[in-house]
Amino acid sequence: MLKKRIIVCLDVKDGRTTKGVKFQNNLDIGDPVEMAKKYYEQGVDELVFYDIMASARGERPILDLISKVASQVFIPFCVGGGIGSMEDIRSTIMAGAEKVSLNSQAVKNPDLIRQGASVFGSQCIVLGMDAMRDSECPSGYRVYLNGGRVKTDLDALEWAKKAQDLGAGEVVLNSMDADGTKAGYEIPLTKMMAETLKIPVIASGGGGTVDHLARVLTEGQADAALIASMVHSGEYTIQDIKKELALSNIPVRM
C-alpha cells in the first residue's frame, strides 16, 4: 500500500512565513529557512513554499529565498506564487525546487501546464487550487485566484480534470472555507476530487488535529495532507503526527 504523505506548507509574504485564517489577518510567524530546516529534521515528507502575494502584486518567484530553503532540505520541495512563464518554471527548478505549483497563472494561461509538463515532466507540475463552496457551480465548489481575492467562472472539479488532461501531476486542493480554521478538512470536496481524478490529491485547509488528518486520508481518500497551523503553533511535531496516524493503521513513512 502506498504510504500517505505529510506535507508542511510555508506561506510566505515579504520574505517571512505568515499564517492567517481564511486568507485574512496574516501574522508573521518566523523565518522560512529556519522553519523549513526544523520540519525537515522532524521528518516531514515534503515541503510547500507559497509566496501568497506574488500573483496579486505581479511579482516573480523569490529565487534567492527558494535556494536558501532548498539548501536546508533534502526532500521534495514545491514552490508556488508568481510562476507565470516557462522561464519562471525553469528558474524556480534551477533554484532548487523539485516541483512548481501553478494556481492563478495556470487559470490565466492553461497552456503553461502543458508546456511545463512536456519540458520538465508531469511530476514537476502541480495544480494549486483555492476552492470555495458555491451552490451555483455543478460540483458545488468554485475556483478563486490571487490568494482567494478574485472569483472565477470555473467549477473546481471541471478545472481539476482539465489540468490533469493538460499534464498536471498532482493537485493541491485548498478549501477556502476551512483554511486556517483548524476545524477539519473539507471532506466532500477532497473525496469528490480523489474519486474523479487519476492523479494524487493533496488535501489542504483546516488541519488542526491528527484525527482531522486521519479522516481526510481515509474517508476523504487524499494521497497526502498539507498542514501548517498545527505545527507552526508548536502544538504538534511531525513525529507526534506520524506516530498517531500509524497507531490508527494509516501507512506513513516513519
Side-chain angles (χ1 to χ4, degrees):
M1 185 185 282
L2 277 176
K3 295 216 175 1
K4 302 288 189 178
R5 290 173 285 154
I6 306 303
I7 303 172
V8 167
C9 177
L10 301 173
D11 284 334
V12 176
K13 179 182 177 185
D14 302 324
R16 300 284 293 174
T17 308
T18 180
K19 195 71 199 100
V21 176
K22 298 188 180 181
F23 292 67
Q24 303 291 317
N25 306 317
N26 285 71
L27 301 171
D28 181 328
I29 57 167
D31 173 49
V33 182
E34 288 172 11
M35 292 174 77
K37 185 173 187 237
K38 176 178 79 174
Y39 296 130
Y40 166 66
E41 288 170 349
Q42 284 182 12
V44 75
D45 297 309
E46 296 186 22
L47 273 170
V48 175
F49 170 113
Y50 286 132
D51 185 331
I52 60 170
M53 296 302 294
S55 286
R57 291 173 175 170
E59 293 171 352
R60 298 183 67 193
I62 325 170
L63 299 176
D64 59 333
L65 188 55
I66 292 164
S67 68
K68 282 177 188 164
V69 172
S71 73
Q72 298 299 318
V73 301
F74 303 93
I75 49 174
F77 171 42
C78 178
V79 172
I83 299 171
S85 66
M86 283 296 286
E87 181 48 43
D88 289 339
I89 295 175
R90 183 175 286 105
S91 60
T92 301
I93 290 172
M94 292 298 287
E98 275 78 19
K99 307 176 187 181
V100 295
S101 176
L102 305 177
N103 189 327
S104 302
Q105 303 296 337
V107 172
K108 294 169 190 169
N109 175 20
D111 200 50
L112 188 59
I113 298 173
R114 186 194 59 75
Q115 290 176 349
S118 68
V119 173
F120 298 102
S122 286
Q123 79 285 351
C124 288
I125 307 299
V126 177
L127 176 72
M129 184 194 299
D130 295 315
M132 188 185 279
R133 286 183 215 125
D134 190 327
S135 58
E136 291 178 11
C137 290
S139 71
Y141 296 88
R142 185 183 297 275
V143 175
Y144 281 72
L145 304 186
N146 292 358
R149 295 172 190 83
V150 178
K151 183 177 178 178
T152 74
D153 294 331
L154 291 174
D155 175 77
L157 186 61
E158 287 307 310
W159 171 229
K161 290 196 295 195
K162 182 177 179 183
Q164 173 181 265
D165 293 344
L166 286 166
E170 60 186 11
V171 56
V172 173
L173 178 63
N174 189 47
S175 162
M176 290 173 61
D177 301 290
D179 182 79
T181 63
K182 295 169 76 174
Y185 296 87
E186 185 81 1
I187 303 285
L189 172 63
T190 310
K191 185 179 180 186
M192 173 176 65
M193 290 283 182
E195 286 180 341
T196 307
L197 302 177
K198 298 182 182 74
I199 58 177
V201 173
I202 298 163
S204 171
T209 67
V210 178
D211 186 56
H212 293 154
L213 275 79
R215 273 197 70 201
V216 84
L217 293 170
T218 53
E219 210 179 307
Q221 299 177 31
D223 296 270
L226 194 122
I227 54 174
S229 306
M230 61 190 288
V231 284
H232 295 341
S233 66
E235 203 175 337
Y236 292 91
T237 67
I238 303 300
Q239 282 301 323
D240 295 336
I241 292 166
K242 288 190 172 185
K243 280 177 186 164
E244 278 196 51
L245 288 172
L247 287 171
S248 301
N249 295 317
I250 293 169
V252 288
R253 292 187 190 94
M254 295 306 289

